[in-house]
Amino acid sequence: MAESMNEVKHRIASTKNTRQITEAMQMVQTVKLNQIQGQTATYNEYVAKVKSVVMHLAQSHLLDSQQPSNDQAHAKKGPTAYLVITSDRGMVGSYNSNVLRGTNRFIAEQTPNVDDYVILAVGGTGADFYKKNQANVAYEYRGVSDIPTYQEVKGIVKTITQMYNDHLFSELYVCYNHFVNRVRSDFRTEKLLPMDRESIRQSMDGATGAGSSIQTETLTAEYEVEPSEQEVLHAILPQYAESLVYGAILDAKTAEHSSSSMAMKAATDNADDLISSLELKYNRARQAAITTEITEITGGQEALNH
């Protein structure tokens, strides 16, 4: 009995140490979540302006002049690319599994033949998963900051755009978890390339910004463009592409921190339940041991009296 009590006592101490760790990790993730939500608010002000301009250009048919030369050259001449955004680490609850499950389902619907698609992975979990499953991982980026910066994303967008221009793929979808609130995130896909009116409309409907909805007014007015339509499009479309990818990564990171915080909270709550159960077990064992000792003493006293 004494040995059993010592084992239970050791398990209680070990579980309390684990609880301290999970509680600290929950607090850290909550701080990161608050920080990234603050950055998201600033980003949304910028992306609202960029999306508004691009939507107006699309509604005024200025994008139509952009389409034939470049995008027709890509049409059906290469595989489809999927930009999959996951985390680099574990302890994020069901975050990664939701992204990978949703992406696999979407790929099965769009391009069931493995030769018809390539994976562009942002995050080590997704890269490792698709490499293990023999998929063609054409690009991977690891080590995205906990609070991603715009400069980080510019490098990713530049590389992906160059791959598109080199005809390594014909169209691009971004797949990630969209942050809804602190207890919920939804899997989302958005078409990024080729950039046409339909993909832009879908992006507006999807509202890439983390937890936000970007509203743009319907515009039918004609534009007078200076210095030229091509120069305006050359300036605004790269910013639009960068804003989409940055918004997706920012959104995904927000969902990741939220999922990690919830996972650590669940682990802390489970530790509390286990500690309560073990303490009850320890107290019962201790009470049984004391009762046994009292019984033995009483029995010995009665034997001496007789």
Side-chain angles (χ1 to χ4, degrees), residues 126-146:
D128 294 339
F129 173 83
Y130 284 106
K131 285 180 179 178
K132 183 178 179 180
N133 286 275
Q134 309 302 315
N136 181 9
V137 180
Y139 171 78
E140 62 179 282
Y141 184 92
R142 300 173 185 253
V144 175
S145 303
D146 288 329

Side-chain angles (χ1 to χ4, degrees), residues 7-146:
E7 290 178 355
V8 174
K9 191 174 182 180
H10 177 73
R11 288 184 63 191
I12 291 173
S14 177
T15 306
K16 285 183 177 179
N17 289 337
T18 301
R19 184 196 180 282
Q20 288 181 335
I21 294 172
T22 57
E23 187 176 33
M25 293 179 68
Q26 178 193 347
M27 293 174 63
V28 170
Q29 293 302 319
T30 300
V31 170
K32 290 179 181 178
L33 179 58
N34 292 335
Q35 289 177 338
I36 200 169
Q37 284 185 301
Q39 184 161 327
T40 297
T42 303
Y43 159 78
N44 283 339
E45 295 178 8
Y46 164 77
V47 77
K49 296 294 183 182
V50 174
K51 285 191 171 187
S52 178
V53 171
V54 173
M55 175 59 86
H56 293 168
L57 291 175
Q59 290 173 345
S60 299
H61 303 282
L62 292 184
L63 290 181
D64 295 346
S65 62
Q66 173 81 358
Q67 293 305 116
S69 60
N70 195 37
D71 288 339
Q72 283 184 1
H74 288 84
K76 303 303 179 183
K77 288 190 177 181
T80 298
Y82 299 96
L83 177 62
V84 185
I85 304 174
T86 60
S87 72
D88 287 307
R89 57 184 178 82
M91 294 187 292
V92 290
S94 61
Y95 171 80
N96 287 318
S97 60
N98 287 343
V99 175
L100 296 175
R101 183 169 55 250
T103 301
N104 288 341
R105 185 166 53 245
F106 184 69
I107 290 175
E109 295 171 354
Q110 299 292 319
T111 50
N113 191 336
V114 69
D115 296 326
D116 292 338
Y117 69 88
V118 297
I119 298 295
L120 313 179
V122 174
T125 302
D128 294 339
F129 173 83
Y130 284 106
K131 285 180 179 178
K132 183 178 179 180
N133 286 275
Q134 309 302 315
N136 181 9
V137 180
Y139 171 78
E140 62 179 282
Y141 184 92
R142 300 173 185 253
V144 175
S145 303
D146 288 329

Side-chain angles (χ1 to χ4, degrees), residues 196-208:
D196 51 29
R197 277 187 292 168
E198 180 61 22
S199 63
I200 290 172
R201 184 191 63 77
Q202 291 177 357
S203 173
M204 299 300 173
D205 294 340
T208 301

Side-chain angles (χ1 to χ4, degrees), residues 242-297:
E242 290 168 5
S243 72
L244 286 183
V245 178
Y246 180 63
I249 292 177
L250 197 64
D251 199 355
K253 271 293 180 181
T254 307
E256 177 187 333
H257 292 320
S258 176
S259 181
S260 180
S261 176
M262 293 299 297
M264 292 303 100
K265 182 181 185 303
T268 301
D269 292 342
N270 289 337
D272 285 334
D273 293 340
L274 181 57
I275 290 169
S276 297
S277 177
L278 289 172
E279 286 179 341
L280 180 60
K281 182 177 180 180
Y282 176 80
N283 290 334
R284 285 177 175 174
R286 185 166 176 266
Q287 184 179 20
I290 293 172
T291 302
T292 301
E293 290 178 3
I294 292 175
T295 302
E296 290 174 352
I297 293 172

